[in-house]
């Protein structure tokens, strides 16, 4: 890779189709997501009416290839939809996007038969999807999985427990990552499709969460769960870790988009409030320190949005590659940090009312935190980004003469690339 290519040059082109899907998402968000957000959050209930409206509007087809009944509209369109939904209810943004996370292993790595069997059902919204990677003892270090899948004749038998499965219980299809070869370092893990109702597959705990309460997050248990070998994703053992990493690269712009939507939703409410709340005989938006908060919120939200769109467009245009992996990590990390900062400032603009559960702004604050944790914590995103930077430093040898020579004796390019 040439050093010049380290700078992402991305033309973001919104297709007519992507803009139509965005408009549909906005309508659904206004009509059936925002009005129900507070009530369903309080009851910890899933917004099935909104999910059905998304299915009817064909929005689950967004990331499904045309050959399997989808729109082939890509990650940028998916991000535009996730943003609109999250603006109305950030919890519902993930309720939608997790279906993409769960189906990407099939889209990106599945066999022709698996794609033909499952993708049309997912696209039609007939089947919801969940992604089962994390376990109690394997979070950031996803290579340390303990759930096993053992070949038995024409089947695999899965045993163990998964943690934090978003959409668990609602989903009909689960992409499950399990160890098939304990002795291998690089080919230890394989991914499987497990259908709801398979004997031995149960949900034992529904988590009581701080935020995103409208979408269930559960523990899934596998007690001698027998699945046919046709359910091994891609038909080859040992591809699971690769499928998981490719999936996360594709899904992270969607998380970034949820964060952008959450930021915009909180900013919009703070902006409206600041223009109506009067203190010292003027709207508080006339006070410079409130203006600074609002201006910072707007700048951060817009920067996050542009990076998110660029990362999504890059994946659509160039597919999985190291630069896109770095971009996806940067978009996820920046946007979710921004969402947390913007939600915090939005509460501040609301003053005491911001701290009350009577108004949606408190929910934006509670919902924002998870964006910095799931689909790879922001520490992990920074590790991914830094590893790319260290590799790129090896390609910037021509700058060597501009750094102090005594340091070069200890840290040469070879060391940087070690
Ligand atoms: C609400 C919710 C929904 C989720 N949904 C799903 C889902 O649908 N499917 C799924 O598979 N998983 C899901 N997850 C799991 C999520 O992806 C993990 O929680 C996340 O990857 C972190 O893992 P962990 O919680 O085990 O934390 P740990 O990995 O134990 O990390 C704890 C802390 O240590 C830091 N840390 C760890 N390693 C390093 C390191 N090398 N360098 C620096 N810091 C480090 C982390 O950044 C973090 O701050 C969900 C989690 C939650 C809470």
């Amino acid at each position: 890779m040439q050093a010049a290519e380290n700078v992402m040059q991305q033309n973001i082109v919104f297709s007519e189709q992507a803009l139509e899907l965005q408009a549909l998402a906005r309508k659904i968000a206004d009509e059936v997501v925002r009005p129900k957000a507070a009530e369903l959050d309080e009851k910890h209930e899933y917004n099935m009416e909104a999910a059905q409206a998304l299915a009817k509007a064909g929005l689950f087809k967004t990331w499904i290839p045309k050959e399997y009944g989808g729109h082939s509209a890509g990650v940028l369109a998916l991000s535009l939809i996730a943003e609109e939904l999250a603006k109305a209810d950030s919890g519902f943004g993930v309720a939608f996007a997790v279906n993409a996370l769960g189906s990407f292993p099939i889209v990106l790595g599945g066999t022709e038969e698996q794609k033909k069997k499952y993708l049309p059902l997912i696209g039609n919204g007939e089947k919801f999807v969940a992604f089962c990677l994390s376990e109690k003892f394997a979070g950031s270090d996803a290579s340390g999985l303990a759930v096993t899948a053992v070949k038995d004749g024409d089947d695999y038998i899965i045993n163990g427990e998964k943690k934090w499965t978003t959409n668990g219980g609602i989903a009909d299809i689960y992409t499950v990552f399990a160890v098939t070869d304990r002795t291998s370092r690089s080919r230890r893990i394989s991914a499987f499709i497990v259908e709801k109702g398979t004997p031995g597959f149960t949900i034992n705990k529904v988590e009581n969460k701080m935020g995103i309460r409208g979408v269930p997050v559960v523990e899934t248990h596998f007690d001698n769960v027998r699945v046919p070998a046709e359910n091994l994703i891609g038909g080859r053992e040992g591809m699971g870790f690769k499928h998981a990493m490719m999936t996360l690269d594709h899904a992270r712009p969607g998380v970034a988009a949820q964060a952008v939507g959450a930021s915009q939703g909180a900013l919009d409410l703070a902006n409206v409030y600041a223009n109506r709340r009067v203190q010292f005989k003027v709207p508080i938006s006339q006070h410079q320190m409130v203006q600074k908060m609002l201006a910072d919120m707007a700048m951060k939200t817009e920067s996050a949005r542009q990076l998110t769109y660029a990362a999504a467009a890059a994946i659509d245009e160039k597919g999985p590659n190291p630069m896109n992996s770095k971009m996806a990590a940067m978009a996820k990390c920046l946007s979710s940090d921004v969402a947390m900062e913007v939600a915090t400032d939005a509460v501040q603009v609301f003053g005491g009312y911001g701290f009350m559960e009577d108004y949606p702004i408190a929910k934006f604050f509670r919902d924002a935190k998870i964006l910095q944790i799931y689909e790879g914590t922001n520490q992990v995103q920074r590790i991914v980004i830094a590893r790319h930077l260290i590799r790129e430093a090896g390609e910037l040898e021509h700058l060597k003469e501009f750094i102090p020579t005594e340091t070069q004796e200890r840290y040469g390019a070879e060391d940087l690339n070690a």
Side-chain angles (χ1 to χ4, degrees), residues 168-220:
I170 301 286
D172 308 280
I173 297 167
Y174 296 74
T175 43
V176 180
F177 293 80
V179 177
T180 42
D181 183 356
R182 279 176 210 276
T183 59
S184 171
R185 271 175 71 90
S186 56
R187 303 251 159 159
R188 217 171 152 254
I189 297 167
S190 304
F192 295 87
I193 300 165
V194 178
E195 294 185 34
K196 190 179 192 170
T198 308
F201 175 44
T202 51
I203 285 162
N204 287 13
K205 183 183 178 203
V206 179
E207 304 288 352
N208 181 10
K209 308 185 294 304
M210 173 205 289
I212 61 162
R213 291 177 180 168
V215 58
V217 173
V218 306
E219 281 179 8
T220 41

Side-chain angles (χ1 to χ4, degrees), residues 31-106:
E31 289 174 359
V32 281
V33 177
R34 188 177 291 105
K36 292 191 146 194
E39 182 197 335
L40 296 178
D41 176 72
E42 201 179 331
K43 293 183 180 164
H44 294 237
E45 270 177 26
Y46 183 79
N47 192 339
M48 190 53 84
E49 186 189 353
Q52 281 166 352
L54 294 176
K56 199 166 162 215
L59 296 186
F60 291 112
K61 294 182 183 189
T62 304
W63 62 90
I64 304 291
K66 277 206 172 99
E67 310 90 276
Y68 309 103
H71 290 322
S72 284
V75 176
L76 183 56
L78 165 67
S79 300
L80 291 175
I81 297 167
E83 180 184 342
E84 287 305 324
L85 299 174
K87 196 160 56 172
D89 174 354
S90 36
F92 195 73
V94 61
F96 168 74
V98 74
N99 289 282
L101 174 72
S103 30
F104 279 144
I106 306 175

Side-chain angles (χ1 to χ4, degrees), residues 140 329 333 377-391:
S140 300
C333 189
T377 65
N378 282 5
Q379 284 75 24
V380 168
Q381 306 308 318
R382 286 181 166 91
I383 292 171
V384 171
I385 298 160
R387 280 189 186 146
H388 282 283
L389 287 174
I390 290 167
R391 224 170 287 139

